[in-house]
Amino acid sequence: MKQQVQVKIIGTQKDAQGEENVIELVTEGTFFKKNGKYYVIYEETELSGMEGSTTTLKIDGEDRVNIRRFGSAKADMIFEKGKTYSTGYETPYGLVEMNITTHRISVSVKEDVPEIFLKIQYRIKVMGSEDTMNILDISIS
């Protein structure tokens, strides 16, 4: 059964010089469970810089999260503790190749409410530039 939820995302990015950038997004989304996995779908806004894109969070247990974007920005990012995944991020300006290494991941799901809390700490290495440390704090209720 699909349910309407509020999605709050706080993204923190820290570069090699220690400079920090924080973006917060609050939007409406849809939550459902399918084949033992949890899904949240929401529309990106101008604030995120990906207006015209739809994002799907797929929560696969306590140690794996997949974020897929379709539309003006396209990406398929996998977060799994201790693993590195290579992916492309397609923007209106071209394709960006990057590696994502997940250092920590925390998933808490209360299915009956629904209420989900995700915290993902990861490093992104974009080809040709310095890597950044990132933290995603996502709450869904």
Side-chain angles (χ1 to χ4, degrees):
M1 180 171 104
K2 292 185 178 183
Q3 296 177 304
Q4 291 302 115
V5 292
Q6 181 183 62
V7 180
K8 181 178 180 182
I9 302 168
I10 300 173
T12 306
Q13 183 179 66
K14 190 181 285 187
D15 65 20
Q17 289 73 38
E19 189 172 321
E20 199 170 87
N21 183 27
V22 178
I23 296 176
E24 184 173 331
L25 169 70
V26 178
T27 189
E28 298 296 313
T30 303
F31 166 83
F32 62 96
K33 184 178 179 181
K34 181 178 176 183
N35 299 326
K37 296 168 181 53
Y38 301 99
Y39 294 84
V40 178
I41 300 172
Y42 63 91
E43 300 295 322
E44 293 288 347
T45 67
E46 186 177 341
L47 178 64
S48 70
M50 293 174 274
E51 186 176 26
S53 295
T54 301
T55 297
T56 301
L57 299 175
K58 177 181 165 187
I59 302 158
D60 189 359
E62 296 181 3
D63 58 359
R64 185 178 166 103
V65 175
N66 181 267
I67 299 177
R68 283 188 163 180
R69 289 199 174 96
F70 302 95
S72 62
K74 296 177 186 161
D76 188 7
M77 299 176 289
I78 299 170
F79 300 94
E80 191 170 1
K81 185 179 176 182
K83 294 193 177 180
T84 300
Y85 289 93
S86 296
T87 188
Y89 204 117
E90 193 173 322
T91 72
Y93 309 104
L95 181 66
V96 177
E97 297 287 333
M98 60 187 175
N99 291 327
I100 299 172
T101 303
T102 305
H103 296 283
R104 293 189 183 112
I105 189 166
S106 172
V107 178
S108 172
V109 178
K110 293 181 183 174
E111 188 176 330
D112 54 331
V113 179
E115 192 173 70
I116 301 171
F117 297 101
L118 301 171
K119 185 169 189 136
I120 305 169
Q121 183 180 12
Y122 61 100
R123 186 172 299 279
I124 290 182
K125 173 69 174 166
V126 176
M127 303 310 156
S129 66
E130 293 182 349
D131 57 344
T132 59
M133 181 56 77
N134 301 269
I135 299 173
L136 280 178
D137 284 300
I138 303 172
S139 62
I140 298 144
S141 57

